Amino acid sequence: MLEAEFWVAVAFVIFMAIAWKAGAFSMMTKGLDGRANRIRHELDEAKRLREEAAAVLADYKRRQVEAEKEAQAIVASAREEAQRAADEGQRKLNDFLARRTQAADTKIAQAEAQAEAQVRAAAAEAAVRVSETILKERLQGDAAQGLIRSSLGEIQTRLRA
């Protein structure tokens, strides 16, 4: 009975009695309870932070969707504005071409009228010369010369008009 294991067991029982009397068990229990409370509080705080992070993430995703929609609206608006500008440019170009064509047609018509007037004047001048030559050959005298001049002047005036 006096073996080493016996004395170890007796020492252990005495140590436990002294520890119990000194309140070591209640201190260990309080320490464990305090630690459990601290861990519970940290878990609650982590849960609150997680929920807050989830709310922030949801807000970020919502803002991202809104930003994408706004960007698409801006792109669509820019495309419409570009199309309007292109249409306006095309319209102005067509108007410019129409005005230039009209001006060219007017110049052509004026040139044709001027050429026609020049041809008529040249024809009238040639007709007057031919007529003067023929009448000079056929008519003789001062009275005939006056008649020829007045007739030719009248012919020239009529042909030029």
Side-chain angles (χ1 to χ4, degrees):
M1 236 192 159
L2 295 174
E3 290 185 25
E5 286 90 14
F6 171 74
W7 288 112
V8 171
V10 169
F12 179 72
V13 170
I14 293 172
F15 174 75
M16 292 304 250
I18 291 172
W20 178 67
K21 190 73 169 166
F25 292 118
S26 63
M27 285 175 51
M28 282 194 300
T29 306
K30 285 180 187 176
L32 289 174
D33 287 343
R35 184 172 175 151
N37 285 336
R38 242 186 9 251
I39 290 172
R40 188 175 300 115
H41 176 69
E42 288 176 3
L43 286 173
D44 290 342
E45 180 69 16
K47 183 178 179 183
R48 185 187 65 78
L49 289 174
R50 182 173 180 257
E51 289 172 354
E52 188 177 308
V56 168
L57 179 63
D59 184 51
Y60 169 76
K61 286 183 178 180
R62 180 186 54 81
R63 286 184 183 182
Q64 182 183 10
V65 168
E66 289 174 359
E68 286 175 0
K69 286 181 183 177
E70 186 175 339
Q72 289 173 350
I74 289 171
V75 168
S77 175
R79 282 187 179 141
E80 290 173 4
E81 185 63 31
Q83 185 61 41
R84 277 195 296 270
D87 292 345
E88 179 68 19
Q90 185 66 35
R91 186 188 59 77
K92 285 183 179 181
L93 178 64
N94 290 340
D95 290 347
F96 175 75
L97 290 176
R99 284 193 311 272
R100 294 294 285 180
T101 303
Q102 180 67 28
D105 288 345
T106 303
K107 284 183 180 181
I108 290 170
Q110 288 173 349
E112 286 175 349
Q114 186 178 8
E116 186 178 327
Q118 288 174 351
V119 167
R120 280 187 182 174
E125 191 66 37
V128 167
R129 282 193 204 127
V130 169
S131 299
E132 184 178 356
T133 305
I134 292 172
L135 289 176
K136 278 184 184 178
E137 288 177 4
R138 291 194 182 170
L139 293 177
Q140 299 292 329
D142 289 333
Q145 291 299 325
L147 180 64
I148 290 172
R149 285 191 189 114
S150 67
S151 297
L152 291 177
E154 190 177 322
I155 290 172
Q156 274 184 326
T157 305
R158 288 188 181 173
L159 286 175
R160 288 186 182 164

